[in-house]
Amino acid sequence: MDTRRVSAAVAAAGLSSFALLYAPQPVLPQLAQAYGLDPGGASLAIGVATTALAVAVLPIAWMAGAVG
């Protein structure tokens, strides 16, 4: 298997994951206004998703190390 292709695919997956994760950031003021939230409450849309990603990566990283 060509390791360059695999590395490029992993890099593209990581880039797209973070792009999708932070895509709602420009609409946070509209979310805050629509739901009557303060800026900190609206930013939880990003913070919770980032935390979930960090928690989900831990077992996946362990599994990748175990499988090889």
Side-chain angles (χ1 to χ4, degrees):
M1 188 176 275
D2 188 12
T3 58
R4 281 184 271 156
R5 287 178 52 192
V6 172
S7 295
V10 169
L15 181 66
S16 62
S17 295
F18 283 102
L20 288 171
L21 185 64
Y22 292 108
Q25 211 165 22
V27 296
L28 288 179
Q30 288 87 357
L31 284 174
Q33 184 179 19
Y35 293 105
L37 300 171
D38 61 343
S43 70
L44 282 175
I46 305 293
V48 170
T50 304
T51 303
L53 178 65
V55 170
V57 164
L58 294 174
I60 293 170
W62 176 82
M63 199 167 43
V67 172

XYZ file of all heavy atoms in Angstrom:
465
model
N 0.853 -1.184 0.000
C 0.000 0.000 0.000
C 0.893 1.239 0.000
O 1.871 1.312 0.718
C -0.908 -0.034 1.219
C -1.956 1.038 1.200
S -3.094 0.919 2.587
C -4.250 -0.253 1.939
N 0.537 2.213 -0.783
C 1.314 3.428 -0.892
C 1.073 4.298 0.339
O -0.041 4.787 0.565
C 0.921 4.157 -2.170
C 1.825 5.337 -2.459
O 2.876 5.467 -1.819
O 1.465 6.134 -3.332
N 2.108 4.483 1.139
C 1.942 5.237 2.390
C 1.655 6.714 2.144
O 1.024 7.358 2.977
C 3.182 5.091 3.288
O 4.329 5.547 2.579
C 3.366 3.657 3.711
N 2.107 7.245 1.025
C 1.803 8.656 0.729
C 0.322 8.869 0.511
O -0.237 9.870 0.967
C 2.600 9.132 -0.486
C 4.041 9.471 -0.136
C 4.767 10.015 -1.326
N 5.325 8.830 -2.014
C 5.649 8.764 -3.282
N 5.475 9.805 -4.048
N 6.139 7.672 -3.794
N -0.320 7.941 -0.152
C -1.767 8.059 -0.389
C -2.535 7.936 0.922
O -3.497 8.663 1.159
C -2.235 7.003 -1.385
C -1.793 7.309 -2.798
C -2.215 6.257 -3.788
N -3.637 5.966 -3.706
C -4.220 4.948 -4.290
N -3.502 4.100 -4.989
N -5.507 4.751 -4.182
N -2.115 7.031 1.775
C -2.773 6.851 3.074
C -2.565 8.099 3.929
O -3.503 8.597 4.565
C -2.250 5.588 3.783
C -2.782 5.499 5.197
C -2.623 4.351 2.994
N -1.353 8.617 3.948
C -1.071 9.834 4.716
C -1.887 11.015 4.207
O -2.406 11.807 4.997
C 0.415 10.175 4.658
O 1.168 9.172 5.291
N -2.001 11.127 2.903
C -2.802 12.215 2.331
C -4.280 12.052 2.692
O -4.960 13.034 2.997
C -2.626 12.258 0.815
N -4.773 10.826 2.703
C -6.167 10.587 3.066
C -6.420 10.914 4.526
O -7.448 11.519 4.875
C -6.536 9.138 2.780
N -5.493 10.547 5.402
C -5.640 10.855 6.821
C -5.578 12.362 7.042
O -6.361 12.920 7.826
C -4.567 10.115 7.652
C -4.531 10.616 9.084
C -4.812 8.620 7.615
N -4.677 13.034 6.368
C -4.586 14.486 6.492
C -5.859 15.166 5.985
O -6.362 16.106 6.606
C -3.370 15.008 5.731
N -6.397 14.687 4.882
C -7.638 15.262 4.352
C -8.803 15.011 5.288
O -9.654 15.894 5.485
C -7.931 14.669 2.966
N -8.851 13.837 5.893
C -9.923 13.540 6.850
C -9.818 14.438 8.073
O -10.829 14.947 8.566
C -9.859 12.070 7.257
N -8.625 14.654 8.570
C -8.431 15.538 9.718
C -8.799 16.972 9.393
O -9.477 17.649 10.175
N -8.373 17.437 8.242
C -8.688 18.801 7.826
C -10.190 19.001 7.670
O -10.751 19.989 8.154
C -7.972 19.130 6.514
C -8.200 20.532 5.966
C -7.600 21.573 6.896
C -7.595 20.647 4.581
N -10.855 18.052 7.049
C -12.299 18.196 6.858
C -13.051 18.082 8.180
O -14.052 18.765 8.382
C -12.817 17.166 5.850
O -12.603 15.860 6.332
N -12.560 17.257 9.094
C -13.203 17.147 10.406
C -13.162 18.476 11.143
O -14.174 18.929 11.693
C -12.519 16.077 11.254
O -12.691 14.816 10.693
N -11.999 19.113 11.167
C -11.896 20.384 11.859
C -12.610 21.504 11.112
O -13.144 22.420 11.734
C -10.442 20.737 12.137
C -9.895 19.964 13.299
C -9.087 18.870 13.105
C -10.226 20.322 14.596
C -8.598 18.141 14.176
C -9.746 19.606 15.678
C -8.931 18.515 15.466
N -12.646 21.441 9.787
C -13.401 22.438 9.035
C -14.888 22.340 9.356
O -15.561 23.364 9.560
C -13.173 22.258 7.535
N -15.415 21.125 9.433
C -16.825 20.943 9.793
C -17.086 21.303 11.246
O -18.158 21.791 11.597
C -17.251 19.501 9.531
C -17.406 19.115 8.071
C -17.624 17.611 7.942
C -18.557 19.871 7.447
N -16.104 21.069 12.094
C -16.256 21.366 13.507
C -16.399 22.868 13.745
O -17.215 23.300 14.563
C -15.044 20.827 14.268
C -15.053 20.926 15.776
C -16.181 20.090 16.350
C -13.731 20.453 16.334
N -15.626 23.658 13.037
C -15.647 25.103 13.249
C -16.509 25.854 12.240
O -16.567 27.079 12.280
C -14.220 25.644 13.250
C -13.458 25.162 14.454
C -12.454 24.212 14.334
C -13.783 25.622 15.723
C -11.779 23.747 15.449
C -13.114 25.165 16.844
C -12.119 24.231 16.697
O -11.456 23.767 17.798
N -17.198 25.159 11.360
C -18.059 25.817 10.379
C -19.188 26.645 11.012
O -19.523 27.704 10.494
C -18.632 24.793 9.402
N -19.798 26.219 12.124
C -20.878 27.023 12.710
C -20.416 28.299 13.401
O -21.242 29.108 13.811
C -21.528 26.092 13.743
C -20.937 24.769 13.563
C -19.700 24.916 12.760
N -19.125 28.514 13.544
C -18.624 29.663 14.277
C -19.145 31.007 13.762
O -19.498 31.864 14.573
C -17.106 29.641 14.290
C -16.504 30.259 15.512
C -15.038 29.901 15.648
O -14.377 29.552 14.677
N -14.529 29.999 16.853
N -19.243 31.228 12.458
C -19.738 32.531 11.992
C -21.207 32.803 12.339
O -21.624 33.949 12.366
C -19.551 32.489 10.475
C -18.569 31.416 10.227
C -18.722 30.443 11.337
N -21.983 31.758 12.594
C -23.402 31.975 12.878
C -23.703 31.961 14.375
O -24.873 31.965 14.763
C -24.286 30.936 12.146
C -24.161 31.081 10.649
C -23.970 29.529 12.588
N -22.683 31.967 15.218
C -22.913 31.981 16.656
C -23.713 33.199 17.123
O -24.596 33.058 17.973
C -21.593 31.872 17.420
C -20.919 30.507 17.385
C -19.617 30.543 18.159
C -21.829 29.433 17.924
N -23.469 34.397 16.587
C -24.306 35.526 17.013
C -25.790 35.332 16.671
O -26.669 35.683 17.468
C -23.726 36.724 16.249
C -22.320 36.337 15.975
C -22.345 34.854 15.767
N -26.084 34.738 15.515
C -27.470 34.473 15.158
C -28.076 33.405 16.062
O -29.244 33.487 16.431
C -27.594 34.047 13.688
C -27.360 35.169 12.700
C -25.895 35.348 12.354
O -25.008 34.675 12.875
N -25.613 36.294 11.472
N -27.298 32.382 16.413
C -27.776 31.366 17.354
C -28.089 31.990 18.711
O -29.121 31.688 19.320
C -26.736 30.260 17.534
C -26.584 29.235 16.437
C -25.410 28.322 16.727
C -27.848 28.423 16.298
N -27.203 32.854 19.170
C -27.416 33.499 20.458
C -28.673 34.355 20.432
O -29.467 34.334 21.378
C -26.201 34.359 20.815
N -28.872 35.076 19.362
C -30.050 35.931 19.258
C -31.322 35.102 19.128
O -32.326 35.393 19.778
C -29.910 36.858 18.052
C -31.034 37.854 17.926
C -30.842 38.759 16.726
O -30.088 38.431 15.813
N -31.519 39.888 16.735
N -31.302 34.062 18.323
C -32.499 33.254 18.092
C -32.947 32.510 19.343
O -34.146 32.345 19.572
C -32.245 32.261 16.958
N -31.981 32.057 20.154
C -32.320 31.260 21.324
C -32.188 32.030 22.632
O -32.319 31.451 23.709
C -31.465 29.995 21.367
C -31.786 29.051 20.238
C -30.936 28.919 19.159
C -32.964 28.318 20.238
C -31.232 28.063 18.113
C -33.274 27.466 19.194
C -32.407 27.347 18.138
O -32.713 26.504 17.103
N -31.908 33.320 22.544
C -31.795 34.145 23.741
C -30.624 33.743 24.633
O -30.744 33.737 25.856
N -29.495 33.414 24.031
C -28.315 32.982 24.776
C -27.307 34.107 24.886
O -27.272 35.013 24.056
C -27.654 31.799 24.064
C -28.485 30.543 23.871
C -27.763 29.577 22.959
C -28.798 29.905 25.200
N -26.471 34.027 25.905
C -25.335 34.933 25.971
C -24.227 34.366 25.077
O -24.307 33.210 24.641
C -24.861 35.110 27.414
C -24.388 33.820 28.055
O -24.714 32.741 27.535
O -23.694 33.904 29.091
N -23.203 35.148 24.771
C -22.153 34.642 23.882
C -21.478 33.365 24.388
O -21.137 32.483 23.608
C -21.151 35.795 23.813
C -21.973 37.011 24.074
C -23.025 36.578 25.056
N -21.301 33.259 25.698
C -20.693 32.047 26.247
C -21.558 30.817 26.031
O -21.066 29.736 25.745
N -22.862 30.988 26.179
C -23.774 29.864 25.954
C -23.807 29.442 24.502
O -23.881 28.250 24.188
N -23.761 30.412 23.615
C -23.760 30.087 22.188
C -22.468 29.393 21.775
O -22.468 28.527 20.906
C -23.963 31.353 21.359
N -21.364 29.753 22.418
C -20.085 29.135 22.057
C -20.004 27.682 22.508
O -19.104 26.953 22.083
C -18.919 29.926 22.641
O -18.884 29.779 24.047
N -20.934 27.244 23.338
C -20.956 25.833 23.725
C -21.200 24.924 22.525
O -20.827 23.749 22.559
C -22.026 25.591 24.789
C -21.661 26.017 26.199
C -22.851 25.839 27.122
C -20.467 25.258 26.705
N -21.811 25.446 21.466
C -22.001 24.651 20.252
C -20.660 24.185 19.701
O -20.541 23.069 19.190
C -22.742 25.466 19.193
N -19.644 25.009 19.835
C -18.307 24.649 19.376
C -17.563 23.861 20.457
O -16.928 22.850 20.179
C -17.493 25.905 18.998
C -18.231 26.744 17.962
C -16.099 25.543 18.528
C -18.374 26.103 16.624
N -17.660 24.315 21.697
C -16.927 23.690 22.796
C -17.333 22.252 23.056
O -16.479 21.387 23.285
N -18.618 21.984 23.026
C -19.090 20.613 23.266
C -18.651 19.695 22.134
O -18.224 18.554 22.369
C -20.621 20.601 23.457
C -21.160 19.194 23.456
C -20.995 21.319 24.739
N -18.726 20.175 20.908
C -18.303 19.352 19.771
C -16.798 19.077 19.821
O -16.357 17.960 19.530
C -18.673 20.038 18.462
N -16.007 20.062 20.212
C -14.561 19.872 20.330
C -14.238 18.871 21.431
O -13.374 17.994 21.258
C -13.870 21.212 20.622
O -14.210 22.141 19.597
C -12.365 21.067 20.672
N -14.934 18.979 22.554
C -14.719 18.033 23.653
C -15.102 16.620 23.241
O -14.386 15.656 23.542
C -15.524 18.475 24.886
O -15.135 19.805 25.235
C -15.298 17.544 26.055
N -16.224 16.480 22.547
C -16.647 15.153 22.090
C -15.626 14.554 21.131
O -15.332 13.352 21.202
C -18.016 15.252 21.420
N -15.071 15.363 20.260
C -14.047 14.871 19.343
C -12.808 14.423 20.103
O -12.249 13.355 19.823
C -13.678 15.952 18.323
C -12.589 15.594 17.327
C -13.053 14.471 16.414
C -12.187 16.803 16.523
N -12.387 15.205 21.089
C -11.207 14.850 21.878
C -11.424 13.547 22.637
O -10.529 12.699 22.707
C -10.870 15.977 22.846
N -12.608 13.359 23.193
C -12.907 12.128 23.935
C -12.989 10.934 22.987
O -12.519 9.843 23.308
C -14.208 12.300 24.751
C -14.682 10.992 25.320
C -14.001 13.326 25.858
N -13.554 11.136 21.807
C -13.702 10.033 20.854
C -12.365 9.607 20.263
O -12.179 8.442 19.910
C -14.651 10.439 19.734
N -11.414 10.519 20.170
C -10.128 10.200 19.556
C -9.297 9.285 20.462
O -8.518 8.469 19.966
C -9.368 11.502 19.227
C -7.901 11.266 18.963
C -10.004 12.178 18.039
N -9.469 9.383 21.776
C -8.645 8.595 22.691
C -8.779 7.084 22.472
O -7.765 6.404 22.287
C -8.950 8.983 24.134
C -8.550 10.411 24.508
C -9.036 10.744 25.902
C -7.061 10.603 24.385
N -9.996 6.515 22.471
C -10.055 5.064 22.229
C -9.657 4.683 20.805
O -9.106 3.593 20.584
C -11.513 4.702 22.508
C -12.266 5.966 22.493
C -11.294 7.054 22.806
N -9.902 5.559 19.859
C -9.500 5.263 18.483
C -7.973 5.224 18.377
O -7.415 4.361 17.706
C -10.114 6.292 17.507
C -11.626 6.115 17.471
C -9.514 6.166 16.125
C -12.360 7.196 16.739
N -7.295 6.145 19.059
C -5.837 6.148 19.051
C -5.289 4.899 19.735
O -4.314 4.295 19.266
C -5.305 7.397 19.728
N -5.907 4.492 20.843
C -5.473 3.270 21.520
C -5.649 2.060 20.603
O -4.766 1.206 20.511
C -6.262 3.085 22.806
C -5.923 1.796 23.488
C -4.863 1.552 24.296
C -6.635 0.558 23.366
N -4.869 0.249 24.702
C -5.951 -0.390 24.143
C -7.775 0.181 22.691
C -6.384 -1.705 24.242
C -8.208 -1.122 22.800
C -7.518 -2.054 23.570
N -6.803 2.004 19.932
C -7.075 0.881 19.039
C -6.096 0.865 17.870
O -5.635 -0.214 17.455
C -8.519 0.977 18.532
C -9.060 -0.304 17.991
S -10.838 -0.304 17.733
C -11.161 1.258 16.999
N -5.760 2.026 17.342
C -4.806 2.084 16.235
C -3.437 1.592 16.680
O -2.735 0.919 15.926
C -4.718 3.511 15.698
N -3.059 1.921 17.914
C -1.770 1.446 18.421
C -1.781 -0.049 18.672
O -0.754 -0.725 18.475
N -2.910 -0.577 19.102
C -2.998 -2.014 19.376
C -3.037 -2.836 18.096
O -2.441 -3.914 18.007
C -4.230 -2.307 20.221
N -3.751 -2.334 17.090
C -3.907 -3.074 15.843
C -2.661 -2.917 14.962
O -2.232 -3.855 14.323
C -5.194 -2.604 15.095
C -5.260 -3.218 13.723
C -6.410 -2.940 15.912
N -2.137 -1.703 14.949
C -0.916 -1.481 14.170
C -1.151 -0.888 12.826
O -2.175 -0.640 12.320
